[in-house]
Amino acid sequence: IIGQSGFQIGLSANLSEYVNVSLLMEEGVVRVDGINRDDLPFNFMSTINTIGIRLDYNFKNIFRNRFLTPYVGLGLSYLKFDSKGSYDNNNDEYEIDLLNQWLLDPANTEAYSQKGIDIPLSIGLNLKINDRLNLKVGTSYHYTNTDWCRVKIC
């Protein structure tokens, strides 16, 4: 699995000196290249969009630096994804809509949902620019209630 960069934008408010709550929107891409199975495309890519809330704990009680503090976060989000596949080794174009391909199989009688619930776990650094503006750099691991946004290769 090749995780690619994504972006996040949101608004946050302080619940206390150490805890923030945020309303966030995210977009990212998950990709798998070189799948070696007859029933799956050679390459797979899923574009993922989320909207949700997150609580962050900022460790200001441990780290006394006013401008740079680490944080951890836990959230709950609504997830929407669109999965595509490709038999092209160049990864230039993902021409196969995997939902449509799924429905072509007579054994599959209905479409799978391209929506789900997401629980992101985050860690990173918060840079205080001024009293009203912060820049966060971090990473998140997303637990989802669906396997359809990533190819089932097991």
Side-chain angles (χ1 to χ4, degrees), residues 1-59:
I1 292 180
I2 301 168
Q4 295 186 318
S5 296
F7 74 92
Q8 177 184 85
I9 189 166
L11 299 171
S12 67
N14 297 332
L15 294 180
S16 74
E17 188 177 348
Y18 309 117
V19 178
N20 300 334
V21 63
S22 301
L23 175 62
L24 301 170
M25 294 187 310
E26 296 177 296
E27 182 171 299
V29 174
V30 148
R31 203 176 89 206
V32 178
D33 293 337
I35 300 168
N36 193 14
R37 282 190 30 192
D38 293 335
D39 60 334
L40 295 172
F42 188 73
N43 301 311
F44 164 86
M45 179 180 72
S46 189
T47 302
I48 300 171
N49 296 286
T50 69
I51 185 167
I53 61 171
R54 186 176 74 199
L55 292 173
D56 290 333
Y57 180 76
N58 61 28
F59 297 102

Side-chain angles (χ1 to χ4, degrees), residues 1 22 25 33 42 50 57-58 81 84 93-94 108 120 123 130-131 152:
I1 292 180
S22 301
M25 294 187 310
D33 293 337
F42 188 73
T50 69
Y57 180 76
N58 61 28
F81 62 92
K84 305 286 184 193
E93 185 177 334
Y94 289 83
N108 303 322
I123 188 168
N130 62 37
D131 287 340
K152 292 183 175 184

Side-chain angles (χ1 to χ4, degrees), residues 42-83:
F42 188 73
N43 301 311
F44 164 86
M45 179 180 72
S46 189
T47 302
I48 300 171
N49 296 286
T50 69
I51 185 167
I53 61 171
R54 186 176 74 199
L55 292 173
D56 290 333
Y57 180 76
N58 61 28
F59 297 102
K60 286 182 182 175
N61 57 335
I62 298 171
F63 296 92
R64 302 289 182 199
N65 189 326
R66 288 183 31 198
F67 298 105
L68 189 64
T69 55
Y71 71 90
V72 295
L74 176 65
L76 182 65
S77 301
Y78 168 78
L79 167 80
K80 185 175 181 295
F81 62 92
D82 185 22
S83 298

Side-chain angles (χ1 to χ4, degrees), residues 113-143:
S113 176
Q114 291 182 302
K115 301 171 180 129
I117 300 296
D118 172 36
I119 300 172
L121 300 173
S122 304
I123 188 168
L125 293 173
N126 185 32
L127 174 63
K128 182 178 180 178
I129 296 172
N130 62 37
D131 287 340
R132 299 184 59 80
L133 185 63
N134 293 310
L135 176 66
K136 286 187 173 182
V137 177
T139 188
S140 296
Y141 185 83
H142 295 260
Y143 291 100

